[in-house]
Each structure stands twice: as structure tokens, then as C-alpha cells.
């Protein structure tokens, strides 16, 4: 059964277009379930009805015509109840509604299951039979399973189908797609597909009327170049391969010949298709066949075809006559976007970035953040490559991508961009002022850094120091662990740039979603696995080397503070402190004149919240990592778009934990700051101030806004707000309450620039 399921989903996902995908779905379901009818009804929002979109067994002329209101008939019932309906004799059911044009009166047995994607009913899958019988449990389970899997395929295909044409009328219903906010801010511009990733599945089969001969020549030229490359590669590695491995090259050559893959692609081109699309189509078909083979060896050979396809495609794309021209307002979109793609586009043309894959902590997202480019990652349903050329709105605050919108909506977002720009220029005057509340309470604002690019922006925006320097970022840029001297040079630059202001360097926090290419950690459950301090305590040689480099770099400056990530018990803190003291002794004995730096721990695991007192007694300072703390408290992966709406920084549990931490720390007298994303969100800052947090660390691009927000509100008001917030029992209520109160206080501006994770 599993194989059949997989086959149907695979076939549907690689269909030429949406309609073809639906046709495949109904055909295969009917075959697999041996029923007489299989149909798909989808909700058409323009008419607010279920429309018969594909069928095997009913009159095919009814497709696109037969429709039902949302509460009409058994189909409407399935959608409304959001659960299957399985009945022996449909026509006797009170909700049965006969659709003449379908010719369905002959069928008695009815099984309908809803197609639901991200809590939204998209449509209903139906199977029917003439005889009067109930479908058994395994049949029902099969259809439910297939519907759950196909929901994503249908949602994706539907989103693609909405792309063209974009008509900017007042009634246009925009398509809104959720991802995860990588960088806050808004961008409007034209989608440009990130081209260098050779993903054959993202190449469309485009038909062309003219210049077929030119396409054939382009393809032959590409083949010739790949043959030449393969020969070169063979010569280069000949002495390192055994005879069996060298045979691979012969296989490649044979595949390129006219009677194999090469010939098939040529035939497809001759049918009137562009070379790239024809190649992708043929390769895809082969991959599907290989994928269905039982023999694992043969299945593996599919990889060779894929590799070869990518090589040819590379040549074809490189040979494209027209050079890529970037529109003035360009939105880079792609499956996965690397830092090099990002920097390829002139900064003044890059309005935003959207990727289907990737996490907030990927190198690209970090760089985008430090450049202040609005970014959304994890936009799983982004229709690639069809979206290329479309005009998009990227809302980095909400983690949303929007298209097919009206002029009015576009204008709304353009206004927001303008207001933000104005706000930023108004904030210029705040740059050199100290941050304090309207009633004069001083607040210390630090920045989070990682790249050298962050440094100048931070200093420019008036940062009072670094609250979190993520040392894993420079490690990510290397192809091996950097040596002590290399690390020394990197750290020295940071410390020098900010001296005498403090720089808090966090020891290596790898694992989870932060991978070093040269130190892969593969685990079933990486966020609960070998991460942060757990890795470095297991590898004291890496830890000590890093601490030595940090301490040496602080010689004469003495502005270093060391921060330990992912502490879950006191032993880890003690063990790390012991190693730090050892490294300090060594460095001092080697003749460096340097003070022992203050050492702090991050409170980002629930266990640490409950042991804040014990930890605070052992270290010089604490720093709350709200990103991980929220993730672990709520058991919600911070990078998973499917559960993004559950990642709620205003969840009462998160707020209570934050309040508890500072109360414990204050009792011991250990300073505590916040360095997660909440510290950079104006709304959350109000609550943090009220709790008593006096030091906040955020990305440089948030500094001005936060400084402004602090200056707008008095400490007494924040406390009043917090008192009320702590009475509420859910994030939604907290958000609504904050919205209402701030608007009432004339602080509505603060709401616009708050991100969704914090807003929910
Ligand atoms: C955090 O978890 O809040 C934090 C600041 O660290 P990172 O985002 O690097 O995990
Ligand atoms: Mg963290």
C-alpha cells in the first residue's frame, strides 16, 4: 500500500500542470481502490462553491461545470464536518444532492474525505460504486492517507495556478503564503529565480514556436561540453579509481548517445519544447522509473541520471544568450538560497529574499539580517519556478509572501515601507542619545553580532557593546576548524572595534540547525541532541583552544565577557568554568597581561529557568536566549513553518518564565540580560522592561526602533501593562490587549513593526 501511495504522490507532484496532477490522482485512486468512480472537488473561492475538478467514472463533460454550495450535498457535509463520510446508499441520505450533469445516479456506495492543508479545507476526494456497500476501514484509511499527502501537492499546484495573470483589481483576492520571518521589513518587487541551483524539478516544460533548430544546437553543444568534461575528469582521477569505478564514465558516455537519454531529449525538443524543459522532463521520467524499481542497485543508478542531467543543464544555462538583468526592485526567490546568490545581486536592487527551504539560522539568513534585507524562509508552498517574474510583497514582519493583490493592498505596503523609512530617518537623532524610558529609567542596549559587517552598522547605530557574538558564524565560513591564531585574529578585530565597550563572546553553539560543513552532526532529533556546550565539553581541545584565543585577543583591552550556550545543569557550568580558568592560567603563564573575563551562562532551556538561582550563584552574569527558550518551553521547532503559528512569544508560559528568571537573578544579585529576538521587538520590550530587564541585546537593525519605543513609554505604564498581561491565559489575548492598550495610549506605531512570532 505504501508503495502505491508513494507512487501516486510522486506522479502527481511531477505532473506537467495542475489539471494533469488531478487527472493522475483520480485515475490512480480508482485503479488502486478498484472503484468505479474517483473524483476531486475543490473549493473555488471566486464562486464560493465546490467545483468538480477531475473525475474517473462520472461524465467527464461535467468537469469544471458541476458545482455545489459549501454546505450542499454529501461533498459539502464532508467539508463542513472535516471528516470522512462513508455510506452504503448515498441517494437515501437526507443531504444527498443529485447533480444531473455527472450521471452519478447509478452509484450507491459513497466515501468522501476532506482535503485539508494547514487547517484549511481545500476540497473533497470522493470514491463511488454501483453496489450498495460500506467501504471497509482499510479503504477509508487509504483514502484519508492519500488525501493528507495530496493536500500539500494540491495547495502547491493551486498556488502556482494563481500566478498568472495578476490582475490588480479592487476585488482581487491575494494569495498569501506563510513562511518564517528571517529578517523583519517589507519588500515589494519582481521575483527573480535563483538560478545557480541546478534543481531539475524546478525547470518548466516551455513550448516554443520558433527557433527549434537553435534549441537543438544548444543541446548538442551542451552534450559535447559535458562529454569533454567527463573525459577530463576521467583523466584527472584515473589513477585513483579502480577499473569498476572507472566504468561509470563509460555509462555516462553511453547515456549521452543518440539512442539513449540524449536522443530522447532531442526528440522532445523537436516536439516544440525549449531545451532545458525537454531535458528536465526526460530526466524526470527516467528518475520516476528508477524510483519504482525494486532492485536497490538499479534504483541507485537514478542518481547518475540526475547528476548527468544537472551537468547538461548547467551548460545550457551557462550558455543562455541573454545575460541575467536584475530588475530595479528584485526579490530573490528559490528552493535554497546561498550567500553567494544573495551577494551576486547589487544591494540597491535587492528588495527581499524568499526561500522554500532553509532556516532562520542558515548562513544566508544571517547575512541577509546583517544587511537588513527583508527575508522569509521556509515558504514551503512557494510555487517555483512559476513565480519568476511575478510581482510580490514580502512581509518579513509577518513571515508572509503575497501575490495576486490589488493596487490598494500594494499601496498599503508601500505606505508601510515609506513610514518605516521616515521613522528610521526620524530616529537619526536618537543615535547618540542614551536609551531611557519617558520617565528617565536608563536601559542598556547591546547588539548581536557574528559577521564583521555587523560591526560598523552597530557602531553607527550607537550600540553600547555586544551582548551576543555568535562565534559559530565565523566557524561556518571556514572549511575546517579555524586554528588558535586564526580565531585570535577574528576575535581581536571584534574586541578592538568595540573597546572599551564590552563584547560578550558566546562559545561555539553548533548542532541543532547550525551545522559546520566540516563537522557534520547527524541525529534523529538535533535540537535535543548534541548541541552547544554539550559538544564543546565533549571536545575540550576545541573548547580550550577557543577560550585561549578569546582571552589572548582581550589582552590590554579587557573588554571580553564569555557566554556559555545551552546550559541545562550546574555541572556543565562548573565544568566549563573549570576549563576557562585553566585556559586563563595557561595564557597568563605564557606572558599575556589580561584580566580574567566575566563568565555568564545562557538561560534558554526550561531546566535552567528553574535553576536560575543555582546558576546565578556560580557565574558573573546571565543572558536569556528567548529564541530557544520559547522553542523548548512550547515544544515548537523554531524553524518549522508548519508549526510557526504555535511559536508564541506572548504565550503566558514564556512570559512567566521570563519573569521568574529575573526575580531569581535579582535575589542573588547577578545581572541578567535578554539576547533573543524578543529583545529586538518593540512590543516585547515593553514587557521586558516592566519585568526589570535593564539590558537588551538585539540585531543592529532593531536598535533605533527599540530605543525609540523605550523613549515613548514610562516605566510606570509598562508595569501597569505587565500586571494586566500576567492575568491573561493565552497569547492571543495578550496580543489583543497590547494592541488595544498601545493604540489607546497613542503608541499604535509600535504595532506595525512587530514581527508575527512575537505578535501572536
Ligand atoms: C536564543 O536562543 O535566543 C539565542 C539568542 O541564541 P541562538 O538564536 O543563536 O540560538
Ligand atoms: Mg540559543
Amino acid at each position: 500500500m505504501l508503495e502505491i501511495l508513494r507512487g501516486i504522490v510522486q506522479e502527481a507532484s511531477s505532473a506537467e500542470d495542475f489539471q494533469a496532477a488531478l487527472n493522475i490522482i483520480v485515475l490512480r485512486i480508482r485503479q488502486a481502490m478498484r472503484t468505479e468512480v474517483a473524483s476531486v472537488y475543490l473549493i473555488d473561492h471566486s464562486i464560493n462553491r465546490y467545483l468538480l475538478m477531475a473525475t474517473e467514472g462520472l461524465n467527464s463533460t461535467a468537469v469544471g461545470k458541476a458545482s455545489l454550495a459549501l454546505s450542499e450535498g454529501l461533498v459539502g457535509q464532508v467539508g463542513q464536518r472535516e471528516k470522512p463520510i462513508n455510506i452504503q446508499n448515498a441517494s437515501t441520505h437526507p443531504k444527498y444532492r443529485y447533480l444531473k450533469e455527472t450521471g452519478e445516479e447509478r452509484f450507491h456506495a459513497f466515501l468522501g474525505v476532506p482535503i485539508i492543508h494547514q487547517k484549511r479545507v481545500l476540497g473533497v476526494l470522493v470514491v463511488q460504486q454501483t453496489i450498495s456497500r460500506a467501504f471497509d476501514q482499510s479503504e477509508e484509511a487509504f483514502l484519508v492517507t492519500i488525501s493528507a499527502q495530496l493536500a500539500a501537492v494540491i495547495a502547491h499546484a493551486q498556488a502556482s495556478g494563481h500566478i498568472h495573470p495578476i490582475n490588480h483589481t479592487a476585488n482581487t483576492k491575494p494569495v498569501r503564503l506563510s513562511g518564517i520571518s528571517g529578517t523583519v521589513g517589507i519588500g515589494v518587487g519582481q521575483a527573480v529565480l535563483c538560478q545557480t541551483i541546478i534543481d531539475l524539478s524546478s525547470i518548466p516544460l516551455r513550448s516554443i514556436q520558433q527557433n527549434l533548430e537553435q534549441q537543438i544546437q544548444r543541446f548538442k553543444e551542451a552534450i559535447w561540453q559535458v562529454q569533454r568534461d567527463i573525459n577530463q575528469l576521467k583523466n584527472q582521477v584515473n589513477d585513483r579509481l579502480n577499473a569498476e569505478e572507472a566504468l561509470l564514465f563509460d555509462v555516462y558516455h553511453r547515456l549521452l548517445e543518440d539512442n539513449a537519454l540524449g536522443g530522447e531529449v532531442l526528440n522532445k525538443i523537436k516536439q516544440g519544447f525549449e531545451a532545458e524543459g525537454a531535458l528536465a522532463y526526460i530526466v524526470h521520467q527516467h528518475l520516476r522509473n528508477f524510483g519504482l524499481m525494486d532492485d536497490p542497485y538499479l534504483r541507485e543508478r537514478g542518481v547518475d541520471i540526475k547528476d548527468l542531467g544537472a551537468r547538461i543543464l548547467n551548460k545550457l544555462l551557462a550558455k543562455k544568450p541573454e545575460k541575467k538583468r536584475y530588475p530595479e526592485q528584485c526579490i530573490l526567490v528559490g528552493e535554497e538560497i546561498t550567500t553567494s546568490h544573495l551577494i551576486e545581486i547589487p544591494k540597491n536592487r535587492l528588495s527581499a529574499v524568499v526561500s522554500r527551504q532553509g532556516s532562520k539560522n542558515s548562513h544566508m539568513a544571517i547575512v541577509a539580517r546583517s544587511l537588513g534585507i527583508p527575508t522569509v524562509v521556509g515558504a514551503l508552498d512557494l510555487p517555483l519556478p512559476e513565480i519568476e517574474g511575478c510581482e510580490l510583497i514580502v512581509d518579513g514582519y509577518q513571515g508572509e509572501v503575497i501575490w495576486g493583490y490589488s493596487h490598494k493592498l500594494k499601496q498599503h505596503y508601500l505606505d508601510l515601507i515609506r513610514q518605516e523609512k521616515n521613522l528610521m530617518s526620524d530616529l537619526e537623532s536618537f543615535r547618540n542619545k542614551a536609551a531611557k524610558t519617558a520617565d528617565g529609567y536608563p536601559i542598556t542596549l547591546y547588539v548581536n553580532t557574528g559577521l564583521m559587517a555587523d560591526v560598523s552598522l552597530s557602531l553607527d547605530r550607537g550600540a553600547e557593546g555586544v551582548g551576543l557574538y555568535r562565534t559559530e558564524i565565523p566557524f561556518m565560513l571556514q572549511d575546517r576548524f579555524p586554528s588558535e591564531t586564526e580565531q585570535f585574529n577574528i576575535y581581536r578585530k571584534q574586541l578592538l572595534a568595540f573597546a572599551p565597550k564590552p563584547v560578550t563572546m558566546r562559545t561555539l553553539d553548533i548542532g541543532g540547525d547550525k551545522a559546520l560543513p566540516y563537522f557534520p552532526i547527524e541525529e534523529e532529533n538535533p535540537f535535543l541532541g548534541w548541541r552547544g556546550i554539550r559538544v564543546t565539553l565533549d571536545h575540550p581541545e576545541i573548547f580550550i583552544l577557543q577560550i585561549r584565543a578569546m582571552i589572548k585577543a582581550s589582552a590590554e583591552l579587557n573588554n571580553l565577557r564569555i557566554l556559555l550556550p545551552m546550559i541545562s545543569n550546574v555541572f556543565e557550568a562548573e565544568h566549563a568554568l573549570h576549563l576557562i580558568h585553566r585556559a586563563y592560567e595557561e595564557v597568563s603563564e605564557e606572558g599575556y597581561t589580561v584580566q580574567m573575563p566575566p563568565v555568564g551562562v545562557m538561560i534558554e532551556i526550561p531546566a535552567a529557568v528553574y535553576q536560575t538561582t543555582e546558576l546565578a550563584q556560580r557565574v558573573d552574569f546571565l543572558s536569556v536566549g528567548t529564541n530557544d527558550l520559547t522553542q523548548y518551553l512550547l515544544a515548537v521547532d523554531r524553524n518549522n513553518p508548519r508549526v510557526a503559528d504555535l511559536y508564541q512569544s506572548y504565550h503566558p508560559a514564556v512570559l512567566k518564565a521570563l519573569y521568574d528568571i529575573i526575580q531569581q537573578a535579582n535575589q542573588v544579585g547577578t545581572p541578567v540580560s535578554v539576547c533573543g529576538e524578543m529583545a529586538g521587538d518593540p512590543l516585547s520590550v515593553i514587557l521586558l522592561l516592566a519585568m526589570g530587564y535593564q539590558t537588551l541585546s538585539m540585531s543592529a537593525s532593531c536598535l533605533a526602533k527599540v530605543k525609540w519605543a523605550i523613549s515613548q513609554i514610562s516605566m510606570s505604564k509598562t508595569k501597569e501593562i505587565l500586571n494586566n498581561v500576567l492575568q491573561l491565559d493565552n497569547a492571543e489575548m495578550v496580543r489583543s490587549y497590547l494592541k488595544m492598550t498601545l493604540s489607546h495610549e497613542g503608541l499604535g506605531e509600535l504595532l506595525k513593526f512587530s514581527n508575527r512570532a512575537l505578535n501572536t
Side-chain angles (χ1 to χ4, degrees):
M1 216 41 145
L2 197 60
E3 278 307 303
I4 299 174
L5 264 172
R6 213 179 272 147
I8 300 180
V9 174
Q10 245 175 30
E11 259 196 85
S13 352
S14 51
E16 263 171 43
D17 55 34
F18 186 35
Q19 191 56 52
L22 295 180
N23 293 343
I24 289 170
I25 292 170
V26 289
L27 179 71
R28 295 283 176 249
I29 289 178
R30 190 172 82 152
Q31 282 170 351
M33 294 186 70
R34 295 198 182 87
T35 57
E36 282 146 273
V37 177
S39 316
V40 180
Y41 295 82
L42 294 183
I43 297 179
D44 181 333
H45 289 284
S46 63
I47 50 171
N48 243 357
R49 292 175 76 83
Y50 284 100
L51 197 61
L52 177 66
M53 294 296 291
T55 185
E56 279 290 324
L58 299 182
N59 290 342
S60 58
T61 48
V63 170
K65 294 194 188 104
S67 75
L68 289 156
L70 294 185
S71 56
E72 203 180 5
L74 292 171
V75 166
Q77 285 301 295
V78 174
Q80 272 195 332
R81 292 191 198 170
E82 300 188 357
K83 62 182 189 128
I85 290 186
N86 181 1
I87 39 181
Q88 283 191 14
N89 195 343
S91 57
T92 60
H93 192 280
K95 280 286 175 186
Y96 176 73
R97 161 91 168 72
Y98 171 53
L99 290 176
K100 197 163 118 243
E101 59 271 47
T102 61
E104 68 172 340
E105 69 277 21
R106 294 178 284 127
F107 305 109
H108 299 293
F110 173 100
L111 170 61
V113 302
I115 305 169
I116 300 180
H117 182 63
Q118 292 177 340
K119 304 194 180 88
R120 220 162 37 90
V121 176
L122 304 179
V124 175
L125 257 181
V126 175
V127 289
Q128 289 171 281
Q129 259 182 308
T130 326
I131 54 160
S132 170
R133 65 136 178 144
F135 288 91
D136 69 28
Q137 283 193 358
S138 68
E139 288 170 310
E140 191 174 317
F142 176 80
L143 205 60
V144 168
T145 315
I146 209 148
S147 161
Q149 294 218 22
L150 288 173
V153 178
I154 290 174
H156 172 73
Q158 262 189 338
S160 322
H162 274 84
I163 290 173
H164 300 292
I166 292 179
N167 71 50
H168 297 270
T169 65
N171 301 327
T172 310
K173 198 157 189 239
V175 181
R176 287 176 183 266
L177 202 93
S178 289
I180 292 195
S181 160
T183 311
V184 295
I186 293 163
V188 176
Q190 197 180 336
V192 170
L193 188 64
C194 174
Q195 283 234 328
T196 38
I197 282 192
I198 304 300
D199 175 8
L200 285 157
S201 62
S202 66
I203 305 288
L205 184 64
R206 280 201 193 104
S207 57
I208 46 166
Q209 317 302 329
Q210 296 157 348
N211 291 336
L212 270 189
E213 198 44 48
Q214 190 196 14
Q215 295 297 323
I216 292 171
Q217 281 317 317
R218 288 181 61 221
F219 181 70
K220 284 187 172 168
E221 173 95 348
I223 292 267
W224 179 80
Q225 288 178 347
V226 171
Q227 281 170 328
R228 193 193 50 192
D229 287 359
I230 292 170
N231 287 339
Q232 265 175 9
L233 195 64
K234 189 175 176 183
N235 293 339
Q236 274 167 26
V237 296
N238 231 354
D239 51 343
R240 276 180 279 147
L241 295 181
N242 61 34
E244 218 169 302
E245 285 162 341
L247 278 180
L248 178 67
F249 294 108
D250 298 335
V251 173
Y252 274 27
H253 275 304
R254 277 203 299 278
L255 280 169
L256 291 172
E257 284 167 8
D258 276 358
N259 55 359
L261 189 86
E264 287 177 61
V265 179
L266 278 174
N267 284 339
K268 192 80 193 163
I269 297 174
K270 286 175 193 162
Q271 287 168 19
F273 294 102
E274 200 183 33
E276 288 88 340
L279 170 74
Y281 179 85
I282 297 293
V283 169
H284 226 84
Q285 284 207 323
H286 279 272
L287 287 181
R288 196 152 62 216
N289 294 340
F290 275 109
L292 295 176
M293 286 178 185
D294 290 334
D295 182 334
Y297 174 79
L298 284 177
R299 226 177 12 232
E300 257 317 288
R301 297 283 55 80
V303 178
D304 298 336
I305 303 254
K306 205 170 176 178
D307 179 34
L308 202 57
R311 282 168 191 269
I312 306 169
L313 190 61
N314 233 331
K315 299 292 178 198
L316 281 171
L317 293 174
K319 279 300 280 180
K320 268 218 150 156
E322 77 282 12
K323 202 174 166 319
K324 186 126 216 151
R325 280 179 47 82
Y326 295 110
E328 298 222 334
Q329 312 282 323
C330 152
I331 296 193
L332 189 60
V333 298
E335 185 67 30
E336 256 182 303
I337 295 174
T338 64
T339 310
S340 57
H341 299 136
L342 190 89
I343 50 190
E344 224 173 81
I345 302 178
K347 182 163 184 277
N348 57 354
R349 293 194 168 223
L350 187 55
S351 300
V353 178
V354 187
S355 72
R356 257 208 323 217
Q357 303 293 326
S359 80
K360 247 181 122 116
N361 290 320
S362 68
H363 186 230
M364 181 285 287
I366 291 163
V367 174
R369 204 142 53 231
S370 78
L371 296 175
I373 301 164
T375 303
V376 172
V377 295
L380 290 176
D381 292 326
L382 187 72
L384 296 175
E386 299 91 332
I387 199 87
E388 170 148 52
C390 276
E391 195 189 272
L392 307 179
I393 294 170
V394 177
D395 183 344
Y397 291 106
Q398 311 288 328
E400 250 183 7
V401 188
I402 311 165
W403 68 89
Y405 40 78
S406 63
H407 279 303
K408 199 165 155 217
L409 191 70
K410 179 176 173 182
Q411 202 48 52
H412 168 74
Y413 279 96
L414 291 177
D415 285 347
L416 278 180
I417 295 176
R418 194 176 32 77
Q419 283 172 24
E420 185 164 32
K421 265 205 189 118
N422 292 345
L423 179 61
M424 292 311 277
S425 67
D426 290 351
L427 296 179
E428 278 295 300
S429 58
F430 277 85
R431 195 195 314 171
N432 297 318
K433 287 189 195 152
K436 51 178 192 283
T437 58
D439 49 354
Y441 284 87
I443 306 295
T444 306
L445 298 189
Y446 287 158
V447 274
N448 296 346
T449 60
L451 299 164
M452 269 320 276
D454 298 324
V455 174
S456 52
L457 185 63
S458 308
L459 290 169
D460 187 48
R461 300 271 164 94
E464 295 172 70
V466 176
L468 172 66
Y469 172 57
R470 293 180 163 103
T471 60
E472 57 278 5
I473 295 178
F475 274 65
M476 276 155 77
L477 302 180
Q478 311 267 334
D479 51 11
R480 56 176 170 73
F481 279 109
S483 68
E484 186 177 314
T485 314
E486 284 166 332
Q487 290 189 50
F488 168 86
N489 289 332
I490 298 169
Y491 303 153
R492 182 80 185 169
K493 272 194 204 145
Q494 280 276 327
L495 292 164
L496 267 175
F498 284 93
K501 296 175 176 129
V503 174
T504 312
M505 294 197 168
R506 184 173 68 184
T507 61
L508 199 60
D509 184 16
I510 51 169
D513 64 334
K514 296 180 228 173
L516 297 179
Y518 46 89
F519 192 68
I521 301 173
E522 283 183 15
E523 294 178 320
E524 287 264 312
N525 212 341
F527 276 113
L528 300 184
W530 207 40
R531 217 202 122 172
I533 200 77
R534 301 171 183 178
V535 177
T536 47
L537 288 183
D538 282 353
H539 279 283
E541 76 288 9
I542 296 174
F543 188 72
I544 289 180
L545 200 89
Q546 183 175 39
I547 300 292
R548 281 174 54 91
M550 285 179 181
I551 297 178
K552 280 185 185 178
S554 176
E556 284 120 37
L557 303 172
N558 293 316
N559 59 339
L560 167 71
R561 288 150 42 102
I562 296 177
L563 181 60
L564 306 167
M566 284 288 290
I567 296 287
S568 63
N569 60 58
V570 291
F571 292 124
E572 285 168 341
E574 283 171 353
H575 188 175
L577 276 165
H578 168 74
L579 294 178
I580 294 171
H581 278 285
R582 210 172 92 191
Y584 174 70
E585 296 298 321
E586 279 174 22
V587 171
S588 302
E589 275 167 25
E590 287 168 29
Y592 286 84
T593 353
V594 59
Q595 290 166 9
M596 171 69 192
V599 179
V601 295
M602 289 201 66
I603 307 290
E604 53 183 346
I605 293 180
V609 176
Y610 291 104
Q611 284 209 294
T612 301
T613 305
E614 290 79 358
L615 289 166
Q617 285 161 345
R618 287 166 169 81
V619 293
D620 303 303
F621 66 96
L622 305 171
S623 187
V624 186
T626 53
N627 307 340
D628 277 315
L629 187 57
T630 308
Q631 147 165 285
Y632 292 125
L633 268 177
L634 305 183
V636 176
D637 181 340
R638 62 196 247 191
N639 291 315
N640 184 343
R642 285 205 181 90
V643 287
D645 57 341
L646 292 175
Y647 187 91
Q648 301 170 331
S649 298
Y650 294 154
H651 192 298
V654 176
L655 299 178
K656 282 186 182 142
L658 286 166
Y659 202 20
D660 199 358
I661 293 167
I662 187 144
Q663 285 174 335
Q664 293 186 58
N666 284 348
Q667 277 207 334
V668 182
T670 305
V672 55
S673 56
V674 176
C675 66
E677 295 294 313
M678 277 180 90
D681 179 70
L683 283 198
S684 309
V685 164
I686 292 174
L687 301 178
L688 295 173
L689 296 190
M691 290 178 192
Y693 288 95
Q694 288 165 9
T695 306
L696 306 171
S697 189
M698 65 208 73
S699 73
S701 53
C702 299
L703 263 181
K705 269 181 266 177
V706 169
K707 211 186 258 190
W708 169 73
I710 292 173
S711 75
Q712 301 295 303
I713 195 158
S714 67
M715 190 61 98
S716 49
K717 188 79 210 168
T718 66
K719 289 195 189 295
E720 193 187 308
I721 294 177
L722 179 69
N723 270 341
N724 291 331
V725 161
L726 290 176
Q727 313 298 319
L728 303 173
D729 63 7
N730 67 74
E732 198 46 55
M733 291 277 282
V734 174
R735 190 173 73 91
S736 310
Y737 169 76
L738 283 175
K739 249 178 153 171
M740 198 184 69
T741 312
L742 292 171
S743 306
H744 191 244
E745 295 291 319
L747 295 173
E749 289 281 289
L750 287 174
L751 298 166
K752 287 188 195 135
F753 306 112
S754 185
N755 91 27
R756 183 185 57 176
L758 303 155
N759 233 342
T760 21

